[in-house]
Amino acid sequence: MGLNAALAVHPASGHGAAARIADAVAERLRPAVDRLDLLTATSVEESRALMRSAHAEGLDVLIVLGGDGAAHQGVQFCADHDVALGLVPSGTGNDFARALGTPADALAAADTLAEALRTGTRRVLDLGRLDPGPAGQGAWFATVLCSGFDAAVNARANALRWPSGPRRYDVAILAELAAFRPRPVTLHTDDGVLELDATLVAVGNTPYYGGGVPICPGATPDDGLFDVTVIGAAGRLQLLRLLPGLRTGAHLAHPAVQTLRTRTLRIEADANPAWPAYADGETQGHTPVIATCVPRALTVVAP
């Protein structure tokens, strides 16, 4: 039986970059598979419908051309349908692709992916899963679940139209510094309960968020555990001094930072107002939030 693949294109990713390079990416991938369908969607609902139709026709590999938001949708589908995932990054953050060692250039990534398709190279990864709560089945996440200051930054960055790329997060950080305050947080882990005043909690299945920030530098998606980074009650001046180290991983040495490892985590924060929560850069409502590391939940086509 031949290899049936689909290329899911999110035209708005990377300010239109995905749409501009879709044909060139498809040209590189097509010789490596027996069938390649092009799935172009302008909404999450349309994308999911196209993926379901492709699955009904015997889909083996879903290849996502887009950024972290597009990758997040691909993860949901592939984990739920036992379909392998391939990534060709063309967004502003590309944190999941970065964690997989995928080339940052989309065409180079397509060439690397094509070779992996030809050789049958696969990796099986853990994923995080959020507790379903009253709304139904919980979302999967591949990179980082964050709550607190960093989630507020993520929300503000998503609303900005300028600048693009990692600088958008830098602008959002400066804007949030003026208003954000630490608050009492309770963390329920495998090893017990931790209560403290905190600025942020980041739960890493992989190291990066925010366009390459290694918030959980030691996180690996094949050990069955989350790496959790907690920044305690840091004031604005402390945060300003700590933030430059985030892009190098030096923040772990700061006295306000502590780390832990756990398979499950419940985050509870003082609800006035509730802390926002984001996973893979996508909003997941507010605290309380429960996450579980699920071993071997996703197959990816990657070296």
Side-chain angles (χ1 to χ4, degrees):
M1 182 180 293
L3 190 62
N4 184 353
L7 177 63
V9 181
H10 295 252
S13 293
H15 302 286
R20 291 191 295 272
I21 63 173
D23 289 342
V25 169
E27 182 180 348
R28 283 164 162 77
L29 297 174
R30 194 165 279 117
V33 298
D34 295 276
R35 173 178 172 178
L36 182 70
D37 296 324
L38 194 63
L39 313 179
T40 303
T42 57
S43 70
V44 171
E45 293 74 18
E46 184 182 8
S47 178
R48 289 174 177 170
L50 290 172
M51 291 175 189
R52 287 193 297 267
S53 295
H55 184 256
E57 297 184 15
L59 182 66
D60 299 305
V61 179
L62 176 70
I63 301 163
V64 173
L65 173 59
D68 283 319
H72 179 74
Q73 294 305 321
V75 165
Q76 309 311 301
F77 177 83
C78 290
D80 285 338
H81 293 85
D82 196 25
V83 170
L85 176 68
L87 296 180
V88 179
S90 65
T92 55
N94 304 319
D95 286 311
F96 189 27
R98 181 179 287 105
L100 295 177
T102 302
D105 177 77
L107 296 184
D111 289 335
T112 299
L113 181 59
E115 180 61 22
L117 288 166
R118 279 190 289 267
T119 59
T121 305
R122 300 285 191 274
R123 294 172 62 187
V124 182
L125 308 180
D126 307 337
L127 290 175
R129 185 143 215 187
L130 300 177
D131 185 78
Q137 196 169 36
W140 298 97
F141 65 95
T143 57
V144 177
L145 164 69
C146 61
S147 190
F149 177 77
D150 46 357
V153 168
N154 205 321
R156 186 178 290 271
N158 286 348
L160 293 175
R161 294 293 173 262
W162 181 92
S164 62
R167 292 300 177 192
R168 186 173 61 173
Y169 293 94
D170 294 338
V171 170
I173 284 169
L174 292 175
E176 283 299 322
L177 275 173
F180 197 87
R181 299 291 185 275
R183 65 177 58 188
V185 172
T186 302
L187 304 179
H188 298 262
T189 78
D190 296 348
D191 297 321
V193 178
L194 177 65
E195 296 180 331
L196 74 163
D197 287 347
T199 302
L200 68 83
V201 180
V203 186
N205 182 57
T206 51
Y208 305 104
Y209 72 176
V213 174
I215 188 67
C216 301
T220 57
D222 57 5
D223 61 0
L225 295 171
F226 293 129
D227 280 37
V228 182
T229 298
V230 184
I231 298 182
R236 282 195 291 269
L237 185 57
Q238 277 188 301
L239 274 176
L240 279 170
R241 290 173 175 169
L242 187 152
L243 288 172
L246 287 177
R247 292 205 173 270
T248 64
H251 61 286
L252 296 188
H254 193 282
V257 176
Q258 58 182 300
T259 62
L260 58 95
R261 305 186 79 215
T262 185
R263 188 182 68 86
T264 61
L265 184 71
R266 176 182 173 92
I267 305 171
E268 298 173 353
D270 176 53
N272 189 26
W275 260 6
Y278 274 71
D280 291 346
E282 301 294 306
T283 182
Q284 304 297 331
H286 296 81
T287 54
V289 62
I290 303 172
T292 302
C293 184
V294 182
R296 302 180 64 83
L298 179 70
T299 299
V300 296
V301 181

